[in-house]
Every structure is written in structure tokens, then in C-alpha cells.
Amino acid sequence: MLAIVCPGQGSQTPGLLSPWLEDPQSKALVQQYSEYSQTDLLTHGTISDEETIRDTAVAQPLIVAASLLAAHRLGLTAERVAGLGDKVLLSGHSVGEIPAAALAGALTEEQALQLISVRATAMADAAAAEPTGMAAVLGGVEDQVLETIEAAGLSPANINGGGQIVAAGATAAIEQLVQNPPARARVIPLKVAGAFHTSYMASAGETLSAAAAQMTPQDAQVTLLSNRDGAAVVEGSQVLTQLVDQVTRPVRWDACMESMREAGVTGVLELLPGGTLVGLAKRGLRGVASFAVKSPEDLEAAGEFIAEHTG
């Protein structure tokens, strides 16, 4: 059984689309995605520098477009994914839930890019309201790590499994946590612009909710695991509601991986920009094969990986 997963914010790198756009059909597709998202993805995916694509309003549409582009190049349209039935499941980390929902057939690609445009801008605006940030806590005992995070006045925004929890909140509190890490753990500040998946994003949640109310989603055609609790979500309206709620709620990637284990997943395929979720799978899903799509050169091997784990 194959798990197709889509990465979240922070996975973007300068020029990540450059080698993909040498293919004319891919370039035309990204141009279409640019129109849907009202973002110049051709520029941001090729020549924009690290600081530019770190901007939440740019990073999120770029990541969603990259995942969808890689899926197309692998022949993983929503129709083909649906045809795989119970041999496949989908999930995405944070912003990655949106392309995952599109590949599951709950959203069209146009809806996904429109939704991410609103989400990205609203979250960037919320992040600009006051100085906040995020930091990864690596190692330690989970209960003790959570206690230390909360004692610092921060929130556990991502519980990623594999000994990684991401804290979020006021910049001063993040700095305090870096200086006073939990026992047997280290704290690494993340290059993100705000305290995502916390109450600091309340205004973004309201804006996204209003945009989502104008959309008509469909039911997911294959198993789609939610960041809320790792459980499968099927009904289109519920998929959309949980995508909105996710902006202010913790990402429970640990629960998603546990659901993958319980479902009997034998392979995890991470779409572009791949790497982060495969790294978590190697620690949280020991013994499960994994493959990260990073460049067009990976397509042949990725196709073989898909075939191997879907029979």
C-alpha cells in the first residue's frame, strides 16, 4: 500500500521549479497555476531568492503548485489516484493538506490554488500583526518537552513524531526556549514568519472560512488522512472545514503516520519539494520504504516505486 504525502512550508528552495520548466507542458501548467493563485510562480520557482520565497504569501502557493506539478508528471491525476482505490492513501503536512485534498478528488486544482492564495495572504497578514515565530524541538521525552513548551508560554504547533515537536508563539518566548531547552533536547529556530497553527492565526482562519464558504467540494475518492487527528476524512464539506480549522490547530503528523502504519502502508512517496516528510518517516515509520521527489531525474524511479507499492 502506498501513502502519497505532500510537504509543508519550509520545504521550498530557490530555483526548485527550474529543471521542471524545461518541459513545455510543465511550464504551461505552472502558468495556469499562477493564474489560479494570482502568484507569479514562474518567477518565484526559478529566479526569486531565498528571502523572497520565505514570504508566506509566496511560499505556500509555490509549494502547492510544486506538489501538483510533480503529481502530474507522475501521472497521478485525481482520476488515476481514485483508480488505485484501497492501494493508496493521501495526506499532507500543514499547507500540504491542500494538494493532498485535490489529489483525493475533494477539491479541483483550481479550487486548491484559489484556497491557498487566500490562506497564504491571510496568514502572512496575521503573522505581520506582532512578532512571533516557531522552533523545532528535537529529542527529549515527549511529555517533558510539551510541559517545557507550555511553561514558556508557547504552543505545540506541530507534533511530528520521530522525536520532533515544533513550538510556536511570541518571538521573545521562542528565544527563551532556545536558551533553555528541555532536558536531552535541542531547539532550532525555524525560518518562518509567524506562529502558525496557533491562536495567533485567528484572523487568517476567519478570512479562510469566508473563502471556503464560496466553494463546493466533493467527497474524497480515496483515504485522506487529516492533520487534526490522523483520522480519515471523506465528506467534502468536512474536508474543507478541517482545512480551515487547521490554520489555528496543531498539526498532528505523528497521528497521520500512526494511521499509515495501522493501514499497512509499505511505501511513502513524498511529492515535490520532497525530503522533510521522508526524513520523519524514516524515524517514525521504521521499516517502511520511502521515496522523495526532488527533481525530474527522480521520475522514473518514483514511477517504479509507485508500481511496487500499488501492485
Side-chain angles (χ1 to χ4, degrees), residues 90-92 94-108 111-112 115 119 208-209 211-213 215-229 231-247 249:
L90 286 153
S91 193
S94 184
V95 66
E97 274 204 308
I98 290 179
L103 294 175
L107 299 175
T108 65
Q111 287 174 324
L115 193 66
R119 183 187 193 269
L208 191 60
S209 180
M215 294 184 173
T216 303
Q218 303 298 314
D219 293 347
Q221 299 302 299
V222 295
T223 300
L224 176 64
L225 302 181
S226 171
N227 282 180
R228 176 177 293 192
D229 52 11
V233 56
V234 177
E235 187 179 346
S237 60
Q238 185 184 10
V239 171
L240 203 51
T241 295
Q242 293 189 192
L243 286 174
V244 171
D245 290 349
Q246 180 227 73
V247 170
R249 296 173 64 100

Side-chain angles (χ1 to χ4, degrees), residues 161-197:
Q164 183 187 111
I165 296 175
V166 176
T171 300
I174 291 287
E175 293 172 353
Q176 177 90 12
L177 185 66
V178 171
Q179 297 300 319
N180 299 278
R184 300 193 299 280
R186 57 194 178 104
V187 180
I188 303 174
L190 299 181
K191 295 179 180 180
V192 296
F196 305 138
H197 306 294

Side-chain angles (χ1 to χ4, degrees), residues 41-64:
L41 299 171
L42 292 173
T43 296
H44 293 315
T46 55
I47 63 175
S48 291
D49 61 18
E50 183 175 7
E51 189 63 28
T52 300
I53 65 171
R54 178 180 166 185
D55 180 352
T56 300
V58 173
Q60 292 189 12
L62 181 59
I63 291 165
V64 170

